[in-house]
């Protein structure tokens, strides 16, 4: 059933073309004219498909121009709106996902938001085409052959760091169940058990309940002195975000998954076999997370702006005041400094024993545990010399393999003090800006990270490392 003639079907207009994050004047005349014509005829699916096809010579093969990634995103947005208007919601979501992944989710999410919401909500109402008719595997599978061919166009070397979620250091990533009608009170955490190869002697990270931690205390006792803490939430966050719940509701959406060979599991994004593949969310969950088998491959949906790509998820997040906390470095940041007044939200969804190697991040970070458990180890900035940062563009990553440290290569590392914790659902860890941290999933897990404040890095001076804007 098409909703094109349904008077009760909501009409979602496109945002103004001049508000798109795209400079039409920089495109070739033919591509620019094609996109403008498609926008003017926004109900014409054929015009939008022609506009998208006009970008292919510039984003595939031996010719690739980042500017045309945005042209593809613009055409995909116009196409998605046309498909929504006809009630072809599954096809619309596929087109919208491919467009955002090509140009960068964070860059395009504002322009895409209303159309994405309309498409997802129409699909969930059961309007439009029958489920499965558009090849999304009943919303749980890996999609049809056409979708796989289209997905090849979504791999992006530009935008926000290959769509890893931050557009900065994450670009260096080579750089139980609650009833939704009655929120469950936070369950007692599972008894912490250290992963077998990480039986350390670190200092436990202090825990404090959300009810006992006003914003002023969080700022003065933890954020300003760069001390980690675990905030225990009063209620379980995002109770509908079970693996099966995510698969059923969003299984047909396309997501970028980091993949490594099993032998490189402990190296994560530093593994020699590291790659990124576009696959359906449901197919990824079934193969790599729920089934725990990826044909000798380990998949990880890591640091991806999933809540921007699927804005329906945003309303599930608890309201938290802590991302408004600032210290003197934030308040005195120069105008040239990149500053996040609203937090950058990234999702982490993966099987057990996925690893984020020891690294630091340029922002304040709250790390929310939604499903499963994770082990986290944190070294302070003062231990930077002892964790042996890599040189060059990977300077935010340690050269130490925490799972198998070599004292001959890194003799100072065993002397570096650290904090550690195992996070359970309902825990939220504050990771101070620029602190070195290592993360390993003890169980299949879902997390949300929240970055905010002034962007900073570490610079070596006189044998010591100091924060710089």
């Amino acid at each position: 059933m098409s909703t094109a003639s349904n008077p009760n079907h909501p009409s979602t207009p496109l945002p103004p073309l001049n508000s798109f994050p795209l400079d039409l004047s920089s495109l070739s005349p033919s591509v620019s004219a094609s996109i403008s014509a498609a926008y003017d005829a926004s109900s014409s699916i054929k015009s939008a498909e022609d506009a998208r096809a006009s970008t292919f010579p510039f984003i595939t093969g031996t010719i690739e121009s980042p500017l045309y990634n945005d042209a593809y995103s613009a055409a995909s947005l116009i196409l998605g709106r046309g498909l929504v208007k006809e009630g072809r919601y599954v096809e619309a979501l596929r087109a919208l996902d491919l467009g955002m992944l090509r140009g960068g989710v964070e860059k395009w999410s504002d322009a895409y938001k209303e159309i994405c919401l309309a498409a997802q909500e129409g699909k969930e109402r059961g309007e439009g085409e029958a489920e499965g008719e558009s090849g999304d595997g009943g919303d749980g599978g890996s999609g049809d052959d056409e979708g796989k061919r289209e997905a090849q166009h979504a791999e992006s070397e530009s935008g926000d760091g290959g769509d890893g979620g931050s557009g900065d250091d994450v670009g260096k990533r080579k750089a139980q169940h609650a009833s939704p009608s009655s929120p469950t009170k936070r369950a007692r955490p599972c008894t912490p058990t250290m992963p077998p190869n990480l039986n350390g002697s670190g200092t436990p990270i202090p825990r404090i309940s959300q009810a006992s931690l006003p914003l002023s205390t969080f700022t003065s006792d933890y954020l300003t002195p760069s001390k980690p803490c675990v905030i225990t939430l009063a209620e379980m966050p995002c109770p509908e975000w079970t693996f099966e719940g995510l698969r059923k509701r969003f299984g047909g959406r396309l997501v970028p998954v980091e993949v490594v060979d099993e032998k490189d599991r402990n190296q994560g994004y530093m593994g020699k076999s590291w790659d990124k593949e576009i696959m359906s969310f449901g197919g990824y969950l079934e193969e790599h997370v729920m089934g725990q088998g990826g044909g000798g491959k380990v998949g990880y949906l890591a640091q991806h702006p999933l809540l921007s790509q699927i804005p329906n998820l945003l309303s599930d997040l608890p309201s938290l005041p802590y991302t408004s906390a600032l210290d003197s470095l934030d308040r005195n940041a120069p105008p040239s400094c990149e500053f996040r007044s609203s937090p950058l939200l990234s999702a982490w969804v993966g099987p057990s024993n996925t690893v984020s190697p020891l690294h630091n991040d340029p922002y304040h970070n709250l790390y929310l545990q939604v499903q499963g458990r994770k082990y986290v180890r944190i070294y302070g900035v003062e231990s930077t010399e002892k964790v042996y940062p890599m040189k060059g563009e990977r300077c935010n990553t340690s050269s130490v393999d925490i799972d198998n440290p070599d004292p001959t290569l890194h003799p100072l590392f065993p002397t570096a003090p650290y904090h550690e914790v195992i996070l359970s659902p309902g825990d939220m860890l504050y990771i101070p800006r620029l602190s070195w941290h290592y993360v390993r999933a003890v169980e299949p897990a879902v997390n949300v990270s929240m970055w905010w404040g002034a962007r900073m890095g570490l610079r070596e001076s006189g044998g010591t490392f100091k924060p710089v804007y």
Side-chain angles (χ1 to χ4, degrees), residues 263-325:
K263 63 181 176 60
D264 289 333
R265 177 188 287 268
N266 288 344
Q267 279 69 52
Y269 63 83
M270 296 302 297
K272 292 181 179 179
S273 61
W274 184 94
D275 200 359
K276 186 174 282 188
E277 298 178 7
I278 302 296
M279 60 182 73
S280 78
F281 196 16
Y284 163 67
L285 290 171
E286 289 179 347
E287 181 177 3
H288 291 277
V289 181
M290 300 164 71
Q292 292 288 296
K297 299 283 188 177
V298 179
Y300 192 13
L301 179 57
Q303 202 161 355
H304 177 59
L306 189 68
L307 286 81
S308 295
Q309 182 183 349
I310 308 178
N312 313 73
L313 294 169
L314 282 169
S315 61
D316 296 335
L317 274 184
S319 178
L320 299 167
Y322 304 112
T323 56
S324 64

Side-chain angles (χ1 to χ4, degrees), residues 22-71:
L22 170 71
D23 182 5
L24 285 173
S25 65
S26 298
L27 301 172
S28 73
S30 60
V31 173
S32 178
S34 183
I35 291 174
S36 296
Y39 184 89
D40 292 339
S42 59
S43 297
S44 170
I45 290 175
K46 175 68 165 57
S47 294
E49 289 175 335
D50 288 346
R52 193 165 67 161
S54 73
T55 70
F56 289 169
F58 300 93
I59 60 176
T60 60
T62 58
I63 301 175
E64 180 160 355
S65 170
L67 177 64
Y68 287 87
N69 291 332
D70 289 327

Side-chain angles (χ1 to χ4, degrees), residues 176-177 238-243 369-373 425 444-447:
Q176 138 174 221
H177 307 304
C238 312
E240 295 184 344
W241 291 16
T242 64
F243 297 116
Q369 194 73 33
V370 177
Q371 294 286 336
R373 296 187 301 157
V446 178
N447 296 78

Side-chain angles (χ1 to χ4, degrees), residues 174-195:
K174 148 132 201 191
Q176 138 174 221
H177 307 304
S179 167
S181 60
S182 56
T184 299
K185 294 296 182 182
R186 185 178 182 278
R188 180 176 297 176
C190 302
T191 301
T193 54
M194 300 294 291

Side-chain angles (χ1 to χ4, degrees), residues 322-358:
Y322 304 112
T323 56
S324 64
L326 302 175
D327 60 17
S328 60
L329 291 172
D330 298 309
R331 290 189 293 271
N332 296 324
S336 59
C337 176
E338 183 180 334
F339 191 95
R340 294 192 174 275
S341 54
S342 297
L344 172 64
L345 305 176
S346 298
W348 310 71
V349 183
S352 59
N353 287 318
T354 50
V355 170
S356 291
L358 188 61

Side-chain angles (χ1 to χ4, degrees), residues 198-410:
L198 293 171
N199 288 316
S201 56
T203 301
I205 295 177
R207 292 177 174 271
I208 185 168
S209 70
Q210 179 185 357
S212 304
L213 189 63
L215 177 62
S216 58
T217 302
F218 170 72
T219 303
S220 62
D221 292 4
Y222 298 103
L223 184 133
T224 298
S226 294
K227 293 182 178 180
C229 67
V230 174
I231 304 169
T232 57
L233 303 186
E235 296 182 348
M236 294 295 290
C238 312
E240 295 184 344
W241 291 16
T242 64
F243 297 116
E244 180 62 16
L246 292 170
R247 186 196 70 82
K248 284 186 174 180
R249 190 177 180 192
F250 304 112
R253 305 300 295 268
L254 298 175
V255 293
V257 177
E258 298 183 6
V259 178
V260 296
D261 292 342
E262 178 67 39
K263 63 181 176 60
D264 289 333
R265 177 188 287 268
N266 288 344
Q267 279 69 52
Y269 63 83
M270 296 302 297
K272 292 181 179 179
S273 61
W274 184 94
D275 200 359
K276 186 174 282 188
E277 298 178 7
I278 302 296
M279 60 182 73
S280 78
F281 196 16
Y284 163 67
L285 290 171
E286 289 179 347
E287 181 177 3
H288 291 277
V289 181
M290 300 164 71
Q292 292 288 296
K297 299 283 188 177
V298 179
Y300 192 13
L301 179 57
Q303 202 161 355
H304 177 59
L306 189 68
L307 286 81
S308 295
Q309 182 183 349
I310 308 178
N312 313 73
L313 294 169
L314 282 169
S315 61
D316 296 335
L317 274 184
S319 178
L320 299 167
Y322 304 112
T323 56
S324 64
L326 302 175
D327 60 17
S328 60
L329 291 172
D330 298 309
R331 290 189 293 271
N332 296 324
S336 59
C337 176
E338 183 180 334
F339 191 95
R340 294 192 174 275
S341 54
S342 297
L344 172 64
L345 305 176
S346 298
W348 310 71
V349 183
S352 59
N353 287 318
T354 50
V355 170
S356 291
L358 188 61
H359 68 286
N360 69 45
D361 295 319
Y363 298 98
H364 305 296
N365 184 6
L366 282 175
Y367 194 65
L368 175 64
Q369 194 73 33
V370 177
Q371 294 286 336
R373 296 187 301 157
K374 280 189 173 179
Y375 170 77
V376 184
R377 181 183 290 192
I378 299 178
Y379 295 82
V381 173
E382 66 278 2
S383 294
T384 297
E385 181 184 6
K386 296 180 179 180
V387 303
Y388 298 89
M390 292 185 174
K391 304 296 184 181
E393 66 175 10
R394 298 184 192 172
C395 61
N396 73 316
T397 300
S398 167
S399 58
V400 177
D401 179 358
I402 280 197
D403 292 278
N404 188 28
D406 187 340
T408 60
L409 289 176
H410 310 116

